[in-house]
Amino acid sequence: MAVGITVTETRAPATTGYLSTNIKMSQPNKFDDLVIALKDALGPSSGLTSDDVDLKQLTRLMADYASDEQEWSRYAMGDEDRPYTRNLVDEGNGKSNLLVLVWSPGKGSPIHDHGNAHCLMKILKGDLTETRYEFPQGEEEAPMVVKSEKVHKENEVAYMADELGVHRVSNQGSDFAVSLHLYTPPNVAKGGCHTFNVNTGKKLHVKKCGYYSAYGKKLKE
């Protein structure tokens, strides 16, 4: 179990929380400021299409934030029996989804698309490996083609969209990793996404990508 990460264990009911008793909640929280800034930046956009989103501004806001575990820990709920958990932070007035993802050691996501939405990922803790693939074309089955692979380190920001292909994110380390994801518009939360078989390229529609927790509270199964 990683120090500070709230981890749900099926074998024992005990959990370990991030927040220390000596943390003063009245202290300025730059993570909360980031959440508000991202929401404000999306204010002028329609929220219905990704064409009018100012990616440069959103990327700059995420890059400028220096990760502080005490500031975002209340959202980071992990489960070592799952590859990763999706923890909702903010819904951006219906124009986005802001999530904290907690990645179990040695595990990762399936290959997936993003439902024609922008995805910005900032590493809050640890390293994450992103493997990008060519978007499968046609109905003929064939192994998926790797375009690139990169290790993203703490505080780095990466951008992904369907026009760039599909990808898989994995935690190849021995400890939990944590990342912040901004999806705009929130197409995946509403309509799901597709996952892809690495050996055949065949896709499967996942109707709903749910949340493990929302606003710092674990949701019922």
Side-chain angles (χ1 to χ4, degrees):
M1 182 182 301
V3 175
I5 295 179
T6 300
V7 179
T8 301
E9 298 181 348
T10 57
R11 294 178 298 277
T15 59
T16 300
Y18 267 122
L19 296 180
S20 171
T21 55
N22 61 0
I23 298 174
K24 297 181 180 179
M25 298 308 294
S26 61
Q27 293 177 341
N29 187 314
K30 293 184 179 180
F31 182 82
D32 290 342
D33 292 342
L34 172 63
V35 174
I36 295 171
L38 291 170
K39 184 184 296 186
D40 289 346
L42 287 167
S45 70
S46 66
L48 301 176
T49 174
S50 61
D51 294 339
D52 55 358
V53 172
D54 189 342
L55 276 176
K56 290 183 179 179
Q57 181 184 11
L58 296 174
T59 302
R60 183 173 61 253
L61 288 170
M62 294 186 76
D64 287 347
Y65 172 69
S67 181
D68 184 335
E69 190 168 330
Q70 292 183 347
E71 294 179 340
W72 47 258
S73 60
R74 64 190 182 277
Y75 299 111
M77 297 187 184
D79 187 336
E80 60 187 4
D81 292 323
R82 305 184 185 207
Y84 63 99
T85 57
R86 291 163 42 90
N87 302 281
L88 178 65
V89 176
D90 187 69
E91 292 186 305
N93 295 324
K95 299 176 181 179
S96 66
N97 280 329
L98 187 64
L99 309 179
V100 166
L101 272 62
V102 179
W103 303 83
S104 297
K107 299 179 181 179
S109 73
I111 303 171
H112 61 278
D113 64 16
H114 292 89
N116 195 32
H118 296 288
C119 173
L120 283 170
M121 174 179 73
K122 180 184 179 72
I123 312 303
L124 296 177
K125 180 176 181 176
D127 298 339
L128 288 175
T129 300
E130 179 193 20
T131 307
R132 296 190 177 188
Y133 301 82
E134 298 280 359
F135 216 112
Q137 302 295 326
E139 299 297 326
E140 184 177 348
E141 294 186 5
M144 296 189 66
V145 178
V146 175
K147 294 179 64 176
S148 64
E149 186 166 274
K150 182 178 180 179
V151 176
H152 300 289
K153 298 185 178 298
E154 188 169 310
N155 279 316
E156 291 184 353
V157 178
Y159 169 73
M160 187 58 177
D162 290 349
E163 62 197 44
L164 301 176
V166 293
H167 75 169
R168 177 180 187 267
V169 177
S170 61
N171 175 12
Q172 298 183 11
S174 59
D175 198 356
F176 285 88
V178 184
S179 54
L180 178 68
H181 295 242
L182 177 69
Y183 302 99
T184 181
N187 296 341
V188 172
K190 296 178 179 179
C193 67
H194 293 94
T195 61
F196 298 82
N197 185 304
V198 67
N199 296 315
T200 66
K202 292 190 67 174
K203 65 181 180 181
L204 175 68
H205 183 230
V206 180
K207 294 182 179 180
K208 185 177 181 180
C209 300
Y211 304 126
Y212 187 76
S213 73
Y215 310 111
K217 294 183 179 180
K218 187 178 182 302
L219 300 177
K220 296 181 179 179
E221 297 291 341

